[in-house]
Amino acid sequence: MSSTHVSTKINGQAVEYVCPNDASLLEVLRDQLGMTGTKEGCGSGDCGACSVTVDGRLVCSCLVLGVEAQGRAVETIEGMANKNQLHKLQEKFLEKAALQCGICTPGVLIAARSLLEKNPDPTEQEVRYWIAGNLCRCTGYDKIVRAILESAKELREEAA
Amino acid sequence: MSEYQAREFKVLGQRLKRPDGFDKVTGRARYGADVEAAGMLHGRILRSPHAHARIVSIDTSAAEALNGVKAVITRADFPQAAKGYEDIQDNCMAGERALYDGHAVAAVAATSKRIAKQALKLIKVEYEVLPHVTGVEQAIAPGAPIVQPGKVSKRVPEGFSDNVVRYTSFGHGDVEAGFAKADAVIEREYRTEASHQGYIEPHACLATLDEDGRGDLWVCTQGHYFIRDMSCAVLGLESANLRVTASEIGGGFGGKTTVFVEPVALALAKKSGHAVKLVMTREEVLRATGPTVSTYMQVKLGLNKDGIITAAYARLFYQAGAYKQGTADFGAMPAFAPYELENVHTEGLDVITNRPRTASYRAPGAPTACYAAESAIDEACLELGLDPLEVRLKNAAKEGTKSSYGPTYQDHGLIQCLEAVKDTEHWNAPLAANQGRGLAAGFWFNFGGETSVSVFLNTDGSVTVTEANPDIGGSRASISMMVAEEFGINYEQVRTTVTDTGSMGQNEPTHGSRVTFAVGMAAIKASREIKADIQQRLAKMWDVSADQVIWQDGKAHCTDNSKGIEPMSLPEIGAIANNTGGPIGAHHGANMEGAGVAFGVHICDTEVDPETGFVSVKRYTAIQDAGKMIQPDYVEGQLQGGAVQGIGWALNEEYVYGDDGRLQNPGFLDYRIPVASDMPMIDTVIVEVPNPGHPFGVRGVGETPIVPPLAAVGNAVSRATNVRLRHLPMSPPRVLAAIQSA
Amino acid sequence: MAHIQIFGSLRDLFDGQAAIEMDVRNLRDLLTKLPQAYPDCAEEIEEGVSVSIDGKIINDDWFRPIHADSEVVVLPRIVGG
Ligand code: FES
Ligand code: FES
């Protein structure tokens, strides 16, 4: 398998890597760049644990090739907090116990942020459908949905 | 002998943040697959494509010759397993026969994942395909292909194939006499399909093992001591030489209490001389780990007009996979556990088939049996025109009831849970067209077990708690809270960490709803030992007797007011520890018996689309006795998560086998667990009836929540459609077929 | 003399008796004397049992006392998920 040199931006920082042409972005992030915050639950696009954004679009990084990041901007969970200042969603997830084991959490947080960027005032149903691609086996989703709705509300209030 | 003492709580009951939370929301927490070692190889396992086959030969030479391959192993690389661990070893790596689709037959370690994958293709296995059986009813029929000859226990009744390997029965009274007294006797059959624990994190580990049998293992597991002891028994190692560290764990639910890939990674590490990382794919997880039993269950129930159950009988066939297990016991015992019965008899029969060896899943054995029992009760209520809640209340087990499995109950909260149903808005809300409401009760024993905990007072007065039970849902926070409560200090002053097998004595895994109960109790006892030590030290310092030093509000006080001694805080005591005898700390290692049973009652509303058979859950309430809540969010979370797992089992999740004996749906697309848009909010009501066996009254809460949902959903769907469904999961085709044939 | 209840199918191992009287002080005593008096149950005991003593499930605690008026029930070994 031949490899390709890729120049991209990850969490706002310029990054270069050489990856096999068939390597997924998930593989590159985890195995080559040591960014293990993005998780692998299935490798087939069914669980959402690997969620990242590419040029602002929410994707399963297991279904994107590493070479596709060329010239784009990738955002992962590692870039969500500003140093030790947690994003509102991260804070709410802690406060509302929206995680148990936490393996789905990075993916859910990335997905939720992407939702709130597009729709700052989602209904419960909109939240549930938006994160329907993010499997969580521990929580039954109740506290996750509540945390997202409450984050949205507080973010709106802060913006007002 | 009650451990419990009523008291006012300051820390318990607060919704505090967990110490591991920051790392988990920022991606810093390290799970099974998140570590590397210098010079590390990647392991991969070759699996049988046959449901049942004799392994005639394995030729690994071409794989070994591939550039980058550092080791190839087969069963020949394993020593004879220690007594009692033969099946565990055989399940990790097949011996003479592959017993199910997905059974490991060989493994490689190579310098990259790609090479390892390529190498698997070069291993030549010659199989002689044998007849197979995967269905429980097919497996018990005389003449069925026999999965493992010579496994039948003495007491198995006549008339079955030799796949029925174990038999147990429970009960008291005379069921025939009880049926004779009944106004209605219903006799029904129920079936459930196998589900998987479905944790989102696949099994993963990183192993090193040198020639002398000294090694290290990093692994995602519910119990690193179990992993250590099983790996040692399977590989002929000494426990002290294998240090196992538990990673953060991405869900387990019982499925991560045993070994699958760990001994394989260790054997590869030993043969290659390198560290080996082995991570399962999702397909491997579904084909070769977990799952639960599938069942065929017969129930007979007698009720009189007043709704008293005059007799209850159940016979449960539990399909347990390719190896002998005792799960049917844990169906036969809890089936009728919520009731005070004069005449009850349950029988459990364990059946082996060409399927993966089943692993525990949250209250293992109970959900299916309670599904059958609670469905039958609902059917009887409909037949006699009785209210399902009243019938349950009338028959409910109380303190002092002789349970259906033998022991007499101590105090528990079933009646309170049932009473709480009445008070919910949910139970009294109207239903729309095509909707039905189901009610079901459930039970789990709970469990304590061997536990080791150390507590230290630091010189600045903060408290370190070291324990060794992987934290799946916030137990570090709960344990810190209990220690803070015991010392009368703030939660923030206590930090609990989970350590490795080289640093702490034996611990049962995080299973059996035991951690908050057992580890919490050990931590409280260690804290009490520290307080006693401090009393001795201060008595010397203050020149009084030890019983004149008492604890109040986080400080040591002298009761002899004449001395005019100022109370001392933990920081003050910690600062002079070295002057008063040296470091202050205590270890408590004990067998934490005394876990209290846990009952729960669930209410479910479903709406069924008569055109498609699609079931949607409209409303759900889970009610449970938690003894005493430590952190309410985590108790609610256990109820919500368990309920949704049960809903998935009831509506969608199912292992589907083809005629070829191969699993048809080894992926999350086709093995469909509930997603957010499938579910409503899950309301919870927590009842607190203190467990007499715990100083703060704590009961385990983790397992019971998965017990009632199967029947609660089943009863709701049946009431919505006016057709009784007796086969789980109630997927749209099954529901539609039932509606159409009615 | 403690009153030991034998449950369901386990009875076959105890000459069909539903209960037996035995002079035992604690769990260890019980687990030692049962197979001596009823050799058929040795295999079962070795495979592992839980014993409910006065309503509490005890798995391994040998020195857990059994009193003359204790309720003792021998059960399959309790596990968890
Ligand atoms: S790992 Fe990408 S969706 Fe599951
Ligand atoms: S918290 Fe465990 S999978 Fe979501």
Side-chain angles (χ1 to χ4, degrees):
Chain A
M1 179 58 59
S2 51
S3 296
T4 300
H5 176 263
V6 175
S7 306
T8 185
K9 231 184 204 175
I10 300 180
N11 299 329
Q13 194 164 330
V15 175
E16 314 245 336
Y17 54 81
V18 174
C19 73
N21 291 350
D22 68 347
S24 67
L25 177 59
L26 176 62
E27 223 179 311
V28 172
L29 289 171
R30 289 184 54 87
D31 297 351
Q32 281 187 251
L33 304 176
M35 298 176 73
T36 55
T38 306
K39 304 300 178 191
E40 174 163 359
C42 69
S44 55
D46 300 316
C47 77
C50 63
S51 300
V52 300
T53 60
V54 178
D55 281 352
R57 194 167 150 239
L58 180 65
V59 295
C60 292
S61 62
C62 69
L63 297 182
V64 174
L65 291 174
V67 295
E68 290 181 86
Q70 170 65 36
R72 298 174 194 250
V74 178
E75 296 282 338
T76 72
I77 187 66
E78 285 91 346
M80 194 157 174
N82 184 0
K83 303 230 171 69
N84 281 331
Q85 182 59 47
L86 294 180
H87 186 278
K88 174 69 73 186
L89 280 159
Q90 292 173 308
E91 247 172 50
K92 274 288 159 219
F93 268 53
L94 283 183
E95 195 185 305
K96 296 280 151 196
L99 57 142
Q100 280 181 34
C101 79
I103 196 84
C104 69
T105 309
V108 176
L109 285 167
I110 291 289
R113 184 179 64 180
S114 142
L115 168 66
L116 299 190
E117 276 165 11
K118 285 176 189 41
N119 179 358
D121 191 6
T123 62
E124 180 192 332
Q125 203 184 25
E126 283 169 334
V127 171
R128 287 188 179 275
Y129 276 89
W130 185 270
I131 61 161
N134 292 86
L135 300 182
C136 173
R137 191 57 156 173
C138 299
T139 63
Y141 304 105
D142 183 300
K143 293 190 189 300
I144 292 178
V145 173
R146 286 179 202 275
I148 295 172
L149 287 169
E150 234 177 274
S151 302
K153 181 162 167 265
E154 285 183 23
L155 285 169
R156 286 196 307 275
E157 284 165 4
E158 283 166 24
Chain B
M1 199 176 47
S2 179
E3 291 276 353
Y4 175 70
Q5 279 175 316
R7 61 192 279 176
E8 286 276 309
F9 293 107
K10 294 208 173 79
V11 183
L12 266 51
Q14 290 189 50
R15 296 178 191 262
L16 298 164
K17 283 188 206 162
R18 57 201 278 177
D20 51 315
F22 187 92
D23 284 354
K24 285 183 176 162
V25 297
T26 53
R28 289 185 200 169
R30 296 198 309 165
Y31 293 82
D34 296 344
V35 295
E36 303 195 326
M40 171 182 100
L41 304 176
H42 297 270
R44 225 178 145 106
I45 295 175
L46 182 69
R47 297 183 179 276
S48 167
H50 303 293
H52 193 190
R54 198 165 68 81
I55 299 169
V56 180
S57 64
I58 304 180
D59 179 0
T60 59
S61 54
E64 277 159 357
L66 184 68
N67 193 28
V69 171
K70 300 291 181 186
V72 182
I73 59 164
T74 64
R75 180 65 172 272
D77 293 280
F78 288 75
Q80 170 71 37
K83 192 170 173 300
Y85 291 86
E86 298 87 350
D87 284 356
I88 289 175
Q89 183 185 59
D90 196 66
N91 191 43
C92 289
M93 191 59 74
E96 282 166 22
R97 287 179 303 140
L99 295 174
Y100 56 91
D101 165 50
H103 199 166
V105 294
V108 302
T111 48
S112 79
K113 287 185 193 169
R114 281 177 175 68
I115 296 173
K117 207 168 161 182
Q118 217 182 327
L120 290 191
K121 297 204 179 97
L122 299 174
I123 299 175
K124 288 190 208 69
V125 186
E126 193 191 325
Y127 293 102
E128 176 197 333
V129 176
L130 301 170
H132 67 270
V133 62
T134 53
V136 55
E137 284 162 86
Q138 290 83 347
I140 64 179
I146 299 308
V147 179
Q148 298 221 50
K151 296 285 181 186
V152 181
S153 300
K154 277 180 266 182
R155 289 167 290 127
V156 175
E158 299 281 305
F160 300 110
S161 82
D162 281 2
N163 292 322
V164 180
V165 288
R166 220 168 156 274
Y167 171 85
T168 52
S169 81
F170 298 89
H172 54 253
D174 177 350
V175 285
E176 287 315 319
F179 289 128
K181 277 194 272 179
D183 292 311
V185 175
I186 63 151
E187 221 174 329
R188 299 285 189 270
E189 291 183 345
Y190 300 91
R191 291 169 175 82
T192 64
E193 296 302 329
S195 62
H196 191 277
Q197 294 79 352
Y199 30 80
I200 305 302
E201 182 197 27
H203 297 261
C205 67
L206 174 62
T208 59
L209 186 62
D210 68 20
E211 266 309 305
D212 302 330
R214 266 185 293 271
D216 276 280
L217 183 68
W218 161 272
V219 57
C220 68
T221 176
Q222 291 173 248
H224 36 317
Y225 295 83
F226 264 32
I227 297 295
R228 178 191 69 182
D229 296 350
M230 288 178 192
S231 297
C232 288
V234 160
L235 294 168
L237 308 173
E238 295 236 30
S239 290
N241 285 334
L242 180 62
R243 186 177 63 141
V244 184
T245 307
S247 69
E248 293 297 333
I249 173 173
F253 316 111
K256 289 179 182 166
T257 53
T258 186
V259 289
F260 296 102
V261 293
E262 299 80 1
V264 177
L266 285 162
L268 286 168
K270 185 169 180 184
K271 196 159 180 181
S272 66
H274 291 267
V276 174
K277 180 169 170 179
L278 215 166
V279 181
M280 270 187 166
T281 63
R282 177 54 52 183
E283 181 183 328
E284 287 180 286
V285 170
L286 288 166
R287 281 172 77 202
T289 74
T292 64
V293 294
S294 63
T295 69
Y296 164 56
M297 302 175 288
Q298 304 160 336
V299 181
K300 189 173 174 185
L301 205 63
L303 269 80
N304 68 18
K305 287 193 298 293
D306 300 330
I308 302 295
I309 301 171
T310 58
Y313 167 78
R315 183 183 234 196
L316 314 168
F317 293 91
Y318 273 31
Q319 178 282 124
Y323 300 90
K324 188 172 182 174
Q325 308 236 53
T327 317
D329 287 340
F330 301 104
M333 289 195 275
F336 296 109
Y339 305 106
E340 182 167 282
L341 300 170
E342 213 175 304
N343 308 297
V344 56
H345 184 205
T346 56
E347 299 178 284
L349 296 101
D350 289 287
V351 182
I352 54 177
T353 63
N354 294 110
R355 288 200 189 199
R357 180 178 193 260
T358 52
S360 295
Y361 180 22
R362 240 177 168 144
T368 45
C370 290
Y371 162 64
E374 294 290 307
S375 297
I377 291 174
D378 199 53
E379 293 204 50
C381 290
L382 284 168
E383 196 163 314
L384 288 167
L386 298 168
D387 179 76
L389 178 59
E390 286 308 318
V391 167
R392 285 178 173 84
L393 266 167
K394 269 187 185 158
N395 293 283
K398 314 164 197 43
E399 185 177 7
T401 296
K402 184 172 175 56
S403 67
S404 58
Y405 62 97
T408 301
Y409 288 124
Q410 297 184 301
D411 207 6
H412 65 74
L414 174 62
I415 302 253
Q416 289 86 337
C417 289
L418 288 165
E419 292 288 353
V421 171
K422 277 189 193 167
D423 299 337
T424 57
E425 206 258 318
H426 183 177
W427 186 246
N428 301 297
L431 287 166
N434 295 320
Q435 294 190 348
R437 179 166 296 146
L439 180 77
F443 159 90
W444 187 248
F445 307 91
N446 288 341
F447 178 65
E450 59 201 2
T451 307
S452 307
V453 175
S454 293
V455 179
F456 310 97
L457 175 65
N458 300 312
T459 49
D460 63 357
S462 63
V463 175
T464 298
V465 181
T466 310
E467 48 120 345
N469 270 96
D471 175 355
I472 307 193
S475 58
R476 275 167 289 201
S478 303
I479 289 154
S480 291
M481 288 172 74
M482 285 185 262
V483 169
E485 186 75 58
E486 183 59 34
F487 280 110
I489 56 178
N490 292 328
Y491 167 70
E492 290 72 24
Q493 288 169 268
V494 184
R495 170 100 187 239
T496 299
T497 42
V498 176
T499 191
D500 60 77
T501 60
S503 315
M504 180 62 68
Q506 199 78 11
N507 279 279
E508 282 266 351
T510 300
H511 70 165
S513 303
R514 71 172 221 95
V515 170
T516 306
F517 165 78
V519 179
M521 182 146 85
I524 293 166
K525 297 218 159 159
S527 304
R528 288 183 180 171
E529 284 168 42
I530 288 177
K531 281 159 65 178
D533 179 20
I534 292 173
Q535 280 167 325
Q536 296 289 348
R537 294 181 189 216
L538 294 188
K540 269 192 205 150
M541 210 167 86
W542 292 341
D543 203 17
V544 296
S545 66
D547 56 17
Q548 289 175 293
V549 182
I550 58 156
W551 275 92
Q552 221 167 17
D553 301 326
K555 285 185 175 169
H557 297 251
C558 181
T559 54
D560 184 349
N561 289 335
S562 69
K563 300 232 166 191
I565 292 167
E566 281 293 309
M568 278 182 91
S569 64
L570 280 183
E572 287 163 341
I573 294 163
I576 55 162
N578 214 23
N579 309 102
T580 58
I584 298 176
H587 177 77
H588 194 85
N591 180 2
M592 291 297 172
E593 314 272 26
V597 298
F599 285 96
V601 181
H602 291 196
I603 317 167
C604 174
D605 291 0
T606 59
E607 185 172 308
V608 182
D609 180 346
E611 305 288 313
T612 60
F614 180 79
V615 177
S616 54
V617 177
K618 289 289 169 202
R619 192 166 181 181
Y620 202 98
T621 304
I623 303 167
Q624 191 171 317
D625 170 19
K628 169 68 200 170
M629 275 192 280
I630 308 297
Q631 211 289 19
D633 282 333
Y634 302 157
V635 178
E636 293 162 8
Q638 290 296 318
L639 268 59
Q640 292 164 336
V644 169
Q645 287 182 323
I647 294 169
W649 201 341
L651 291 179
N652 266 312
E653 296 178 35
E654 167 175 18
Y655 265 46
V656 180
Y657 279 89
D659 291 339
D660 57 1
R662 301 199 63 186
L663 184 61
Q664 305 284 294
N665 56 339
F668 273 144
L669 190 60
D670 300 316
Y671 181 87
R672 193 176 178 286
I673 71 173
V675 304
S677 54
D678 295 338
M679 288 297 129
M681 292 297 184
I682 306 293
D683 295 333
T684 57
V685 179
I686 317 262
V687 162
E688 292 183 303
V689 176
N691 168 20
H694 187 279
F696 298 162
V698 171
R699 285 177 206 276
V701 293
E703 297 184 285
T704 298
I706 203 176
V707 183
L710 280 61
V713 179
N715 293 341
V717 170
S718 301
R719 283 170 181 263
T721 54
N722 292 316
V723 182
R724 181 55 58 166
L725 281 111
R726 301 193 186 91
H727 190 166
L728 300 185
M730 294 174 288
S731 49
R734 264 190 207 122
V735 175
L736 195 59
I739 294 173
Q740 285 170 348
S741 67
Chain C
M1 281 292 187
H3 184 73
I4 296 139
Q5 301 181 39
I6 312 298
F7 242 74
S9 55
L10 284 178
R11 279 176 207 158
D12 304 353
L13 310 176
F14 296 90
D15 305 336
Q17 302 178 78
I20 52 179
E21 302 288 323
M22 205 174 237
D23 185 18
V24 289
R25 285 175 300 135
N26 57 30
L27 181 63
R28 181 165 189 262
D29 226 14
L30 176 74
L31 296 180
T32 317
K33 286 177 181 164
L34 277 180
Q36 286 168 1
Y38 302 91
D40 280 355
C41 75
E43 190 189 316
E44 206 83 17
I45 303 261
E46 200 189 322
E47 270 183 20
V49 289
S50 289
V51 178
S52 164
I53 302 174
D54 298 324
K56 265 190 190 148
I57 303 268
I58 310 297
N59 266 358
D60 301 295
D61 187 0
W62 273 355
F63 307 123
R64 180 68 57 148
I66 296 177
H67 306 290
D69 57 349
S70 287
E71 176 200 65
V72 179
V73 188
V74 180
L75 296 167
R77 193 172 175 86
I78 307 284
V79 294

